[in-house]
Amino acid sequence: MAKITIPAANIEFDCTNDTIMRAATRIGLGFPYECNVGECGNCRFELIEGEVSYLRANPPGVTERDVQRKRYLGCQALPQGDCTIKVSLRDHYKSKFLPKKTTGELIEAFDVTHDIREFRFRLSENAKFIAGQYGLITAPRVEGARAYSMCNTGEDGAEWHFQIRRVPNGAATTSLFDNLKVGDKVGLDGAYGMAYLREDAPRDILCLAGGSGLSPMVAISRAAAKSPALKDRNIHFIYGGRTPRDVCGEQFLKELEGYGTRIHYIGAISMPDDPSSAGWTGKVGFVHDIAEQVFGEKLGGMEVYFAGPPLMSQAVMKTLIKSKVPAAQMHFDQFY
Ligand SMILES: Cc1cc2nc3c(=O)[nH]c(=O)nc-3n(C[C@H](O)[C@H](O)[C@H](O)COP(=O)(O)OP(=O)(O)OC[C@H]3O[C@@H](n4cnc5c(N)ncnc54)[C@H](O)[C@@H]3O)c2cc1C
C-alpha cells in the first residue's frame, strides 16, 4: 500500500493496486481527468517525491516536456511507494457516485446496426451512475481497460448497458464482438466522466452523436425524458452516419414518452454520393452543420451534449463556440 500526499490541499490517501487518479476519485476527491486511458493528459500531476510506474507502457498523452518536468498522468500512474504530488483538485471532477471495481456478466447482446452492438452486463455489486457517464471494461485477454459509455440510466446500477462500435482490428472490440458469450464475465470499473445529464439546467436539450457516440446520447435522452425537473423541456437528438446503414438511435427515442411531441430525432448522412445512399430522403451533412442549420441562434439557449469520434467533437465544439454557446452548457468527454 502506498500513501499519496497532496501538501497544498492538506490531503493524504491510500493507493493500493490502483492508479493515483482513480484511487483519489474513489474516495471523492476532485482529481482532474477525462479519458482515463492515458490519451488526453487532463490528469497530469507533478511528482515532488517518490516513484511511479505506468499501467499502460508509454501512454500517448505524455509529452517530452512532461518527462523533463517530472509530470505524470494520474490515470496511468502506479505508485511504487509513498509519493508526494502537486495537483489542483477541483469540485467539477468529484463523483456523485464513487467509482468502484466490479465484475459484469454478459446477460444479453444484440446488433443495433451493422457495426454497433449493445452489450448488457449484470454487475456483481451494484454501481450507480449518472446518465452520460462511462465505465472501464477489461475484456478477456485484452491488455488494458477501454472506456465505454453506458446507454441505460443508472438509478440502481444493477446493470450496465453499452452500445459499442466495432473498430476493425481493435483489440477490445474484437474480443467483445467475436468472443464474448452470454454468461462470460468482464472487469468493470466506474462510473467516470463529466458529460452527464444536468437536471438542474432549465434549458432545451440537444444531443449530437456520430458513430461510437450513440451510447451516452441515448442515456442522456432516456434520463432527460423521465426527469420531473426537465418535463417541460424539448429533447432534440441528431445522429450522423456516413451512409443510411449507419444511421440509428431513433428506435430508442421512439420508446420514450413524449416522442414526436417534445422529443425529436434527425438522422443525417455525410456521403450522399455513395451508391448505398441512393434513395435517402433525410438530411445530408455533418452533425455540427445540421445543428447550425436547424437551430441557428437558438443554440446559445440550449444545453448541448455531444459524443463521437475526435474529429466530430472538434467540429461540434467550433460550431458551438461560434454560436456563442456558453462553455458551461457544453458537455462531452473526448473519445479516443
Ligand atoms: C470517455 C470515452 C468513452 C467512450 N465511449 C465509447 C462508447 O460508448 N462506444 C464505443 O464504441 N466506443 C467508446 N469509446 C472508444 C473506446 O474506448 C475504444 O477506443 C474503441 O472501442 C477502440 O478500442 P479497441 O481496443 O477495439 O481498439 P484499439 O485500436 O485496439 O485500441 C484503441 C483504444 O484503446 C486504448 N488503448 C490501447 N492500448 C491500451 C492499453 N494498454 N491500456 C489502456 N488503453 C489502451 C487507446 O488509447 C484507444 O483509446 C470511448 C472512449 C472514451 C475515451
Side-chain angles (χ1 to χ4, degrees), residues 31-115:
F31 202 114
Y33 72 98
E34 190 171 325
C35 76
N36 225 322
V37 289
E39 296 267 359
C40 73
N42 271 12
C43 57
R44 271 190 194 90
F45 68 85
E46 198 181 317
L47 185 65
I48 310 291
E49 214 179 304
E51 219 179 293
V52 299
S53 65
Y54 273 133
L55 178 63
R56 174 181 182 182
N58 307 315
V62 178
T63 64
E64 260 315 303
R65 245 177 140 198
D66 290 333
V67 177
Q68 285 161 11
R69 297 189 166 193
K70 287 198 93 182
R71 288 192 307 217
Y72 291 84
L73 301 187
C75 76
Q76 300 298 311
L78 298 163
Q80 300 301 299
D82 293 352
C83 290
T84 302
I85 66 169
K86 190 172 163 191
V87 65
S88 297
L89 302 178
R90 284 182 49 200
D91 283 352
H92 172 70
Y93 294 100
K94 281 185 178 172
S95 293
K96 180 172 172 199
F97 301 115
L98 302 183
K100 56 181 168 185
K101 294 180 196 175
T102 58
T103 301
E105 179 184 337
L106 186 70
I107 50 170
E108 198 184 346
F110 57 89
D111 288 339
V112 175
T113 66
H114 64 103
D115 65 354

Coordinates of all heavy atoms in Angstrom, one line a residue, residues 31-115:
F31 N -10.0 15.0 -8.4 CA -8.7 14.9 -9.2 C -9.1 15.1 -10.7 O -9.9 14.3 -11.2 CB -8.1 13.5 -9.0 CG -6.6 13.4 -9.3 CD1 -5.7 13.2 -8.3 CD2 -6.1 13.6 -10.6 CE1 -4.3 13.1 -8.5 CE2 -4.8 13.5 -10.9 CZ -3.9 13.2 -9.8
P32 N -8.5 16.0 -11.4 CA -8.8 16.2 -12.8 C -8.5 15.0 -13.7 O -7.5 14.3 -13.5 CB -7.9 17.4 -13.3 CG -7.3 17.9 -12.0 CD -7.4 16.9 -11.0
Y33 N -9.4 14.8 -14.7 CA -9.2 13.7 -15.6 C -10.2 13.8 -16.7 O -11.1 14.6 -16.6 CB -9.3 12.3 -15.0 CG -10.8 11.9 -14.6 CD1 -11.5 11.1 -15.5 CD2 -11.3 12.4 -13.5 CE1 -12.8 10.7 -15.1 CE2 -12.6 12.1 -13.1 CZ -13.4 11.2 -14.0 OH -14.7 10.9 -13.7
E34 N -10.1 13.0 -17.8 CA -11.2 12.9 -18.8 C -11.3 11.6 -19.4 O -12.2 10.8 -19.1 CB -11.0 14.0 -19.9 CG -12.2 14.1 -20.8 CD -12.1 15.3 -21.7 OE1 -11.6 16.4 -21.3 OE2 -12.6 15.2 -22.9
C35 N -10.2 11.1 -20.2 CA -10.4 9.9 -20.9 C -10.1 8.6 -20.1 O -10.7 7.6 -20.4 CB -9.5 9.9 -22.2 SG -7.8 9.6 -21.8
N36 N -9.2 8.7 -19.1 CA -8.9 7.6 -18.3 C -8.1 6.5 -18.9 O -7.9 5.4 -18.3 CB -10.2 7.0 -17.8 CG -10.2 6.7 -16.3 OD1 -9.2 6.2 -15.8 ND2 -11.3 6.9 -15.6
V37 N -7.6 6.7 -20.2 CA -6.8 5.7 -20.8 C -5.5 6.2 -21.3 O -4.8 5.7 -22.2 CB -7.6 5.1 -22.1 CG1 -8.7 4.2 -21.6 CG2 -8.1 6.1 -23.0
G38 N -5.0 7.3 -20.7 CA -3.7 7.8 -21.0 C -3.5 8.6 -22.2 O -2.4 8.7 -22.7
E39 N -4.6 9.1 -22.8 CA -4.5 9.8 -24.0 C -4.6 11.3 -23.9 O -3.9 12.1 -24.5 CB -5.7 9.4 -25.0 CG -5.6 7.9 -25.4 CD -4.9 7.7 -26.7 OE1 -4.4 8.7 -27.3 OE2 -4.8 6.5 -27.1
C40 N -5.6 11.8 -23.1 CA -5.9 13.3 -23.1 C -4.9 14.1 -22.3 O -4.7 15.3 -22.6 CB -7.3 13.5 -22.7 SG -7.6 13.3 -20.9
G41 N -4.3 13.6 -21.3 CA -3.4 14.4 -20.5 C -4.0 15.3 -19.4 O -3.3 16.0 -18.7
N42 N -5.3 15.3 -19.3 CA -6.0 16.1 -18.3 C -5.6 15.8 -16.9 O -5.9 16.6 -16.0 CB -7.5 16.0 -18.4 CG -8.1 17.0 -19.4 OD1 -7.3 17.6 -20.2 ND2 -9.4 17.1 -19.5
C43 N -5.2 14.6 -16.6 CA -4.9 14.2 -15.3 C -3.5 14.3 -14.8 O -3.0 13.7 -13.8 CB -5.3 12.7 -15.1 SG -4.5 11.6 -16.3
R44 N -2.7 15.2 -15.5 CA -1.3 15.4 -15.2 C -1.1 15.9 -13.8 O -1.9 16.7 -13.3 CB -0.7 16.5 -16.1 CG -0.2 16.0 -17.3 CD 0.6 17.1 -18.1 NE 0.8 16.5 -19.4 CZ -0.1 16.8 -20.4 NH1 -1.1 17.5 -20.2 NH2 0.2 16.2 -21.6
F45 N -0.1 15.4 -13.1 CA 0.3 15.9 -11.8 C 1.8 16.0 -11.8 O 2.5 15.4 -12.6 CB -0.2 15.0 -10.7 CG 0.4 13.7 -10.6 CD1 1.6 13.4 -9.9 CD2 -0.2 12.6 -11.2 CE1 2.2 12.2 -9.9 CE2 0.4 11.3 -11.2 CZ 1.6 11.1 -10.6
E46 N 2.3 16.7 -10.8 CA 3.8 16.8 -10.7 C 4.2 15.9 -9.6 O 3.6 16.0 -8.5 CB 4.1 18.3 -10.4 CG 5.6 18.6 -10.7 CD 5.8 20.1 -10.4 OE1 5.0 21.0 -10.7 OE2 6.9 20.4 -9.7
L47 N 5.3 15.1 -9.8 CA 5.8 14.3 -8.7 C 6.8 15.0 -8.0 O 7.9 15.4 -8.5 CB 6.3 13.0 -9.4 CG 6.8 11.9 -8.4 CD1 5.6 11.3 -7.6 CD2 7.5 10.8 -9.1
I48 N 6.6 15.3 -6.7 CA 7.5 16.0 -5.9 C 8.5 15.0 -5.2 O 9.7 15.3 -5.1 CB 6.8 16.8 -4.7 CG1 5.6 17.6 -5.3 CG2 7.7 17.6 -3.9 CD1 6.0 18.8 -6.1
E49 N 7.9 13.9 -4.8 CA 8.8 12.9 -4.1 C 8.2 11.5 -4.3 O 7.0 11.4 -4.4 CB 8.7 13.2 -2.6 CG 10.0 12.9 -1.8 CD 9.9 13.3 -0.4 OE1 9.6 14.5 -0.1 OE2 10.1 12.4 0.5
G50 N 9.1 10.5 -4.4 CA 8.6 9.2 -4.6 C 8.8 8.7 -6.1 O 9.5 9.4 -6.8
E51 N 8.2 7.6 -6.4 CA 8.5 6.9 -7.7 C 7.2 6.4 -8.2 O 6.4 5.8 -7.4 CB 9.5 5.8 -7.5 CG 10.5 5.7 -8.6 CD 11.4 4.6 -8.4 OE1 12.2 4.6 -7.4 OE2 11.3 3.6 -9.1
V52 N 6.9 6.5 -9.5 CA 5.7 5.9 -10.1 C 6.1 5.1 -11.4 O 7.1 5.4 -12.0 CB 4.6 6.9 -10.5 CG1 4.1 7.6 -9.3 CG2 5.1 7.8 -11.5
S53 N 5.3 4.1 -11.7 CA 5.5 3.4 -13.0 C 4.2 3.6 -13.7 O 3.2 4.1 -13.2 CB 5.8 1.9 -12.8 OG 4.7 1.3 -12.2
Y54 N 4.1 3.2 -15.0 CA 2.9 3.3 -15.7 C 2.2 2.0 -15.9 O 2.8 1.0 -16.2 CB 3.1 4.0 -17.1 CG 3.2 5.5 -17.1 CD1 4.2 6.2 -17.6 CD2 2.1 6.2 -16.4 CE1 4.1 7.6 -17.6 CE2 2.1 7.5 -16.4 CZ 3.1 8.3 -17.0 OH 3.1 9.6 -16.9
L55 N 0.8 2.0 -15.8 CA 0.0 0.9 -16.0 C 0.1 0.5 -17.5 O 0.3 -0.6 -17.9 CB -1.5 1.3 -15.7 CG -2.6 0.3 -15.9 CD1 -2.4 -0.9 -15.0 CD2 -3.9 1.0 -15.5
R56 N -0.1 1.5 -18.4 CA 0.0 1.3 -19.8 C 1.4 1.8 -20.2 O 1.7 3.0 -20.0 CB -1.1 2.1 -20.5 CG -1.0 2.1 -22.0 CD -2.2 3.0 -22.5 NE -2.1 3.0 -24.0 CZ -2.9 3.6 -24.8 NH1 -3.9 4.4 -24.2 NH2 -2.8 3.6 -26.1
A57 N 2.2 1.0 -20.9 CA 3.5 1.5 -21.3 C 3.4 2.6 -22.2 O 2.6 2.7 -23.1 CB 4.2 0.3 -21.9
N58 N 4.3 3.6 -22.0 CA 4.3 4.8 -22.9 C 3.0 5.4 -23.2 O 2.6 5.4 -24.4 CB 5.1 4.5 -24.2 CG 6.4 3.9 -23.9 OD1 7.2 4.4 -23.1 ND2 6.7 2.8 -24.6
P59 N 2.2 5.9 -22.3 CA 0.9 6.4 -22.6 C 1.0 7.6 -23.6 O 1.9 8.4 -23.4 CB 0.4 7.0 -21.3 CG 1.3 6.5 -20.2 CD 2.5 6.0 -20.8
P60 N 0.2 7.6 -24.7 CA 0.3 8.6 -25.7 C 0.2 10.1 -25.2 O 0.8 11.0 -25.8 CB -0.8 8.3 -26.7 CG -1.2 6.9 -26.4 CD -0.9 6.6 -24.9
G61 N -0.4 10.3 -24.1 CA -0.6 11.6 -23.6 C 0.6 12.3 -22.9 O 0.6 13.4 -22.5
V62 N 1.7 11.5 -22.8 CA 2.9 12.0 -22.1 C 3.8 12.7 -23.2 O 4.1 12.2 -24.2 CB 3.7 10.9 -21.5 CG1 5.0 11.4 -20.9 CG2 2.9 10.1 -20.4
T63 N 4.1 14.0 -22.8 CA 5.0 14.7 -23.8 C 6.4 14.8 -23.3 O 6.7 14.5 -22.1 CB 4.5 16.2 -23.9 OG1 4.6 16.8 -22.6 CG2 3.0 16.2 -24.3
E64 N 7.3 15.2 -24.1 CA 8.8 15.4 -23.8 C 8.8 16.3 -22.5 O 9.6 16.1 -21.6 CB 9.5 16.1 -24.9 CG 10.3 15.2 -25.8 CD 11.2 14.2 -25.1 OE1 12.0 14.6 -24.2 OE2 11.0 13.0 -25.3
R65 N 8.0 17.4 -22.6 CA 8.0 18.4 -21.5 C 7.6 17.8 -20.2 O 8.2 18.1 -19.1 CB 7.1 19.5 -21.9 CG 7.8 20.8 -22.0 CD 7.0 21.9 -22.4 NE 7.4 23.1 -21.7 CZ 6.7 24.1 -21.5 NH1 5.5 24.2 -22.0 NH2 7.2 25.2 -20.9
D66 N 6.6 16.9 -20.3 CA 6.2 16.2 -19.0 C 7.3 15.4 -18.4 O 7.6 15.5 -17.2 CB 5.1 15.2 -19.3 CG 3.8 15.8 -19.7 OD1 3.5 17.0 -19.3 OD2 3.0 15.2 -20.5
V67 N 8.1 14.7 -19.2 CA 9.2 13.9 -18.7 C 10.3 14.9 -18.1 O 10.7 14.6 -17.0 CB 9.9 13.1 -19.9 CG1 11.1 12.3 -19.4 CG2 8.8 12.2 -20.5
Q68 N 10.6 16.0 -18.8 CA 11.6 16.9 -18.2 C 11.1 17.5 -16.9 O 11.9 17.7 -16.0 CB 11.8 18.1 -19.2 CG 12.6 17.7 -20.4 CD 12.4 18.7 -21.5 OE1 11.8 19.8 -21.4 NE2 12.9 18.3 -22.7
R69 N 9.8 17.7 -16.8 CA 9.3 18.4 -15.6 C 8.7 17.5 -14.5 O 8.0 17.9 -13.6 CB 8.2 19.4 -16.0 CG 8.7 20.5 -16.9 CD 7.7 21.5 -17.1 NE 8.3 22.7 -17.7 CZ 7.7 23.9 -17.8 NH1 6.5 24.0 -17.4 NH2 8.3 24.9 -18.4
K70 N 9.0 16.2 -14.7 CA 8.5 15.2 -13.7 C 7.0 15.2 -13.6 O 6.4 15.2 -12.5 CB 9.2 15.3 -12.4 CG 10.7 14.9 -12.4 CD 11.2 14.6 -11.0 CE 11.1 13.2 -10.6 NZ 11.5 12.8 -9.3
R71 N 6.3 15.4 -14.7 CA 4.9 15.4 -14.7 C 4.4 14.0 -15.2 O 5.0 13.5 -16.2 CB 4.3 16.5 -15.6 CG 4.5 17.8 -14.9 CD 3.7 18.9 -15.6 NE 3.9 19.0 -17.0 CZ 3.9 20.1 -17.8 NH1 3.8 21.2 -17.2 NH2 4.1 20.0 -19.1
Y72 N 3.4 13.5 -14.6 CA 2.9 12.1 -14.9 C 1.4 12.2 -15.1 O 0.7 13.1 -14.7 CB 3.2 11.2 -13.7 CG 4.7 10.9 -13.6 CD1 5.5 11.7 -12.9 CD2 5.3 9.8 -14.2 CE1 6.8 11.5 -12.8 CE2 6.6 9.5 -14.1 CZ 7.4 10.4 -13.4 OH 8.7 10.1 -13.3
L73 N 0.9 11.1 -15.8 CA -0.6 11.0 -16.0 C -1.2 10.3 -14.8 O -0.9 9.1 -14.6 CB -0.9 10.3 -17.3 CG -0.3 11.0 -18.6 CD1 -0.8 10.3 -19.8 CD2 -0.6 12.5 -18.6
G74 N -2.1 10.9 -14.1 CA -2.7 10.3 -12.9 C -3.5 9.0 -13.2 O -3.5 8.1 -12.4
C75 N -4.1 9.0 -14.4 CA -4.9 7.8 -14.7 C -4.1 6.6 -15.0 O -4.7 5.4 -14.9 CB -5.9 8.1 -15.9 SG -5.1 8.0 -17.5
Q76 N -2.8 6.7 -15.3 CA -2.0 5.6 -15.6 C -0.9 5.4 -14.5 O -0.2 4.4 -14.6 CB -1.3 5.7 -16.9 CG -2.4 5.8 -18.1 CD -3.2 4.6 -18.2 OE1 -2.7 3.5 -18.3 NE2 -4.5 4.8 -18.3
A77 N -0.7 6.3 -13.6 CA 0.5 6.3 -12.7 C 0.2 5.4 -11.5 O -0.7 5.6 -10.7 CB 0.8 7.7 -12.2
L78 N 1.1 4.3 -11.4 CA 1.0 3.4 -10.3 C 2.2 3.7 -9.3 O 3.3 3.7 -9.7 CB 1.2 2.0 -10.8 CG 0.2 1.4 -11.8 CD1 0.8 0.2 -12.5 CD2 -1.1 1.1 -11.0
P79 N 1.8 4.1 -8.0 CA 2.9 4.5 -7.1 C 3.8 3.3 -6.7 O 3.2 2.2 -6.5 CB 2.1 5.0 -5.9 CG 0.8 4.4 -6.0 CD 0.5 4.2 -7.4
Q80 N 5.1 3.5 -6.7 CA 6.0 2.4 -6.3 C 6.4 2.5 -4.8 O 7.5 2.1 -4.4 CB 7.2 2.4 -7.2 CG 6.9 2.2 -8.6 CD 6.2 0.9 -8.9 OE1 6.7 -0.2 -8.7 NE2 5.0 1.0 -9.4
G81 N 5.6 3.2 -4.0 CA 5.9 3.5 -2.6 C 5.2 4.8 -2.3 O 4.4 5.3 -3.2
D82 N 5.4 5.4 -1.1 CA 4.8 6.7 -0.8 C 5.2 7.8 -1.8 O 6.3 7.8 -2.2 CB 5.1 7.1 0.6 CG 4.5 6.1 1.7 OD1 3.7 5.2 1.2 OD2 4.9 6.2 2.8
C83 N 4.2 8.6 -2.1 CA 4.5 9.7 -3.1 C 3.9 11.0 -2.6 O 2.9 11.0 -2.0 CB 3.9 9.4 -4.4 SG 4.6 8.1 -5.3
T84 N 4.6 12.1 -2.9 CA 4.1 13.4 -2.6 C 3.9 14.1 -4.0 O 4.8 14.0 -4.8 CB 5.1 14.3 -1.8 OG1 5.3 13.6 -0.6 CG2 4.5 15.7 -1.5
I85 N 2.7 14.6 -4.2 CA 2.4 15.1 -5.6 C 1.8 16.5 -5.5 O 1.3 16.9 -4.5 CB 1.4 14.2 -6.4 CG1 0.1 14.2 -5.7 CG2 2.0 12.8 -6.5 CD1 -1.0 13.5 -6.6
K86 N 1.9 17.2 -6.7 CA 1.2 18.5 -6.8 C 0.2 18.5 -7.9 O 0.5 18.1 -9.0 CB 2.3 19.6 -7.2 CG 1.9 21.0 -7.1 CD 3.1 21.9 -7.3 CE 2.6 23.3 -7.7 NZ 3.7 24.1 -8.1
V87 N -1.1 18.8 -7.5 CA -2.2 18.8 -8.5 C -3.3 19.7 -8.0 O -3.4 19.8 -6.7 CB -2.7 17.3 -8.7 CG1 -3.4 16.7 -7.5 CG2 -3.7 17.2 -9.9
S88 N -4.0 20.4 -8.9 CA -5.1 21.2 -8.4 C -6.3 20.4 -8.4 O -6.9 20.1 -9.5 CB -5.2 22.4 -9.3 OG -4.1 23.2 -9.3
L89 N -6.9 20.2 -7.2 CA -8.2 19.4 -7.2 C -9.3 20.4 -7.5 O -9.2 21.6 -7.1 CB -8.3 18.8 -5.8 CG -7.2 17.9 -5.3 CD1 -7.5 17.4 -3.9 CD2 -7.2 16.7 -6.2
R90 N -10.3 19.9 -8.2 CA -11.5 20.8 -8.5 C -12.8 20.1 -8.2 O -12.9 18.9 -8.6 CB -11.4 21.3 -9.9 CG -10.3 22.4 -10.1 CD -10.3 22.8 -11.6 NE -11.7 23.1 -12.0 CZ -12.0 23.2 -13.3 NH1 -11.1 22.9 -14.3 NH2 -13.3 23.5 -13.7
D91 N -13.7 20.8 -7.6 CA -15.0 20.2 -7.3 C -15.7 19.6 -8.6 O -16.4 18.6 -8.5 CB -16.0 21.2 -6.7 CG -15.6 21.5 -5.3 OD1 -14.8 20.7 -4.7 OD2 -16.2 22.4 -4.7
H92 N -15.5 20.2 -9.7 CA -16.0 19.8 -11.0 C -15.8 18.3 -11.2 O -16.6 17.6 -11.9 CB -15.4 20.6 -12.1 CG -15.7 20.2 -13.5 ND1 -17.0 20.3 -14.0 CD2 -15.0 19.6 -14.5 CE1 -17.0 19.8 -15.3 NE2 -15.8 19.4 -15.6
Y93 N -14.7 17.8 -10.8 CA -14.3 16.4 -11.0 C -14.7 15.4 -10.0 O -14.4 14.2 -10.0 CB -12.8 16.3 -11.2 CG -12.3 17.0 -12.5 CD1 -11.8 18.3 -12.4 CD2 -12.5 16.5 -13.7 CE1 -11.4 19.0 -13.5 CE2 -12.1 17.2 -14.9 CZ -11.5 18.4 -14.8 OH -11.2 19.1 -15.9
K94 N -15.4 15.9 -8.9 CA -15.9 15.0 -7.9 C -17.0 14.1 -8.4 O -17.9 14.6 -9.1 CB -16.4 15.8 -6.7 CG -15.3 16.4 -5.8 CD -15.9 17.0 -4.6 CE -14.8 17.5 -3.7 NZ -15.4 18.4 -2.6
S95 N -17.0 12.8 -8.0 CA -18.1 12.0 -8.5 C -19.2 11.9 -7.5 O -19.0 11.9 -6.3 CB -17.5 10.5 -8.6 OG -16.6 10.4 -9.6
K96 N -20.4 12.0 -8.0 CA -21.6 11.8 -7.2 C -21.6 10.4 -6.6 O -21.9 10.2 -5.4 CB -22.9 12.2 -7.9 CG -24.1 12.0 -7.1 CD -25.3 12.6 -7.9 CE -26.6 12.3 -7.1 NZ -27.8 12.3 -7.9
F97 N -21.4 9.5 -7.5 CA -21.3 8.0 -7.1 C -19.9 7.6 -7.2 O -19.3 7.7 -8.3 CB -22.2 7.2 -8.0 CG -23.7 7.6 -7.9 CD1 -24.3 8.1 -9.1 CD2 -24.4 7.5 -6.7 CE1 -25.6 8.5 -9.0 CE2 -25.7 8.0 -6.7 CZ -26.3 8.4 -7.9
L98 N -19.3 7.2 -6.1 CA -17.8 6.9 -6.1 C -17.6 5.7 -7.0 O -18.2 4.7 -6.9 CB -17.3 6.7 -4.7 CG -17.6 7.9 -3.7 CD1 -16.9 7.5 -2.4 CD2 -17.0 9.2 -4.3
P99 N -16.6 5.9 -8.0 CA -16.3 4.7 -8.9 C -15.8 3.5 -8.1 O -15.1 3.7 -7.1 CB -15.2 5.3 -9.8 CG -15.1 6.7 -9.5 CD -15.7 7.0 -8.2
K100 N -16.2 2.3 -8.6 CA -15.6 1.1 -7.9 C -15.4 0.0 -9.0 O -16.0 0.1 -10.1 CB -16.5 0.7 -6.8 CG -18.0 0.4 -7.2 CD -18.7 0.0 -5.9 CE -20.2 -0.1 -6.1 NZ -21.0 -0.4 -4.9
K101 N -14.6 -0.9 -8.6 CA -14.3 -2.1 -9.5 C -15.3 -3.2 -9.2 O -15.5 -3.5 -8.0 CB -12.9 -2.6 -9.2 CG -11.8 -1.6 -9.5 CD -10.4 -2.3 -9.2 CE -9.3 -1.2 -9.2 NZ -8.0 -1.7 -8.8
T102 N -15.9 -3.7 -10.2 CA -16.8 -4.8 -10.1 C -16.6 -5.8 -11.3 O -15.7 -5.5 -12.1 CB -18.3 -4.3 -10.2 OG1 -18.5 -3.7 -11.4 CG2 -18.7 -3.4 -9.1
T103 N -17.4 -6.8 -11.3 CA -17.4 -7.7 -12.5 C -18.7 -7.7 -13.1 O -19.8 -7.6 -12.5 CB -17.1 -9.2 -11.9 OG1 -15.9 -9.1 -11.2 CG2 -17.0 -10.2 -13.1
G104 N -18.7 -7.8 -14.5 CA -20.0 -7.7 -15.2 C -20.2 -9.1 -15.9 O -19.3 -9.5 -16.6
E105 N -21.4 -9.6 -15.8 CA -21.7 -10.9 -16.5 C -22.6 -10.5 -17.7 O -23.6 -9.9 -17.5 CB -22.4 -11.9 -15.6 CG -22.8 -13.2 -16.3 CD -23.6 -14.1 -15.4 OE1 -23.5 -14.0 -14.2 OE2 -24.3 -14.9 -16.0
L106 N -22.2 -10.9 -18.9 CA -23.0 -10.6 -20.1 C -24.3 -11.4 -20.0 O -24.3 -12.6 -19.9 CB -22.2 -11.0 -21.4 CG -22.9 -10.6 -22.6 CD1 -22.9 -9.1 -22.8 CD2 -22.3 -11.3 -23.9
I107 N -25.4 -10.6 -20.0 CA -26.7 -11.3 -20.0 C -27.5 -11.2 -21.3 O -28.4 -11.9 -21.6 CB -27.6 -10.7 -18.8 CG1 -27.7 -9.2 -18.9 CG2 -27.1 -11.1 -17.5 CD1 -28.7 -8.6 -18.0
E108 N -27.0 -10.3 -22.2 CA -27.7 -10.1 -23.5 C -26.8 -9.3 -24.4 O -26.1 -8.4 -23.9 CB -29.0 -9.4 -23.2 CG -30.0 -9.5 -24.4 CD -31.3 -8.7 -24.1 OE1 -31.5 -8.2 -23.0 OE2 -32.0 -8.5 -25.1
A109 N -26.9 -9.6 -25.7 CA -26.2 -8.8 -26.7 C -27.0 -8.8 -28.0 O -27.5 -9.8 -28.3 CB -24.8 -9.3 -26.9
F110 N -27.2 -7.6 -28.6 CA -27.9 -7.6 -29.9 C -27.3 -6.5 -30.7 O -26.8 -5.5 -30.3 CB -29.4 -7.5 -29.6 CG -29.8 -6.2 -28.8 CD1 -30.0 -5.0 -29.5 CD2 -29.9 -6.3 -27.5 CE1 -30.4 -3.9 -28.7 CE2 -30.3 -5.2 -26.7 CZ -30.5 -4.0 -27.3
D111 N -27.5 -6.6 -32.1 CA -27.0 -5.7 -33.0 C -27.9 -4.5 -33.1 O -29.1 -4.6 -33.2 CB -26.8 -6.3 -34.4 CG -25.7 -7.3 -34.4 OD1 -24.8 -7.1 -33.6 OD2 -25.6 -8.1 -35.3
V112 N -27.3 -3.3 -33.1 CA -28.0 -2.0 -33.3 C -27.9 -1.6 -34.8 O -28.9 -1.2 -35.4 CB -27.5 -0.9 -32.4 CG1 -28.1 0.4 -32.7 CG2 -27.6 -1.3 -30.9
T113 N -26.7 -1.8 -35.3 CA -26.5 -1.5 -36.8 C -25.5 -2.6 -37.2 O -25.2 -3.5 -36.5 CB -25.9 -0.2 -37.1 OG1 -24.5 -0.2 -36.5 CG2 -26.7 1.0 -36.5
H114 N -25.0 -2.4 -38.5 CA -24.1 -3.4 -39.0 C -22.8 -3.4 -38.2 O -22.1 -4.4 -38.1 CB -23.7 -3.1 -40.5 CG -23.0 -1.8 -40.6 ND1 -21.7 -1.7 -40.9 CD2 -23.5 -0.5 -40.6 CE1 -21.4 -0.4 -40.9 NE2 -22.5 0.3 -40.8
D115 N -22.4 -2.3 -37.5 CA -21.2 -2.3 -36.7 C -21.3 -1.8 -35.3 O -20.3 -1.6 -34.6 CB -20.1 -1.5 -37.4 CG -20.4 0.0 -37.6 OD1 -21.5 0.4 -37.2 OD2 -19.5 0.7 -38.1

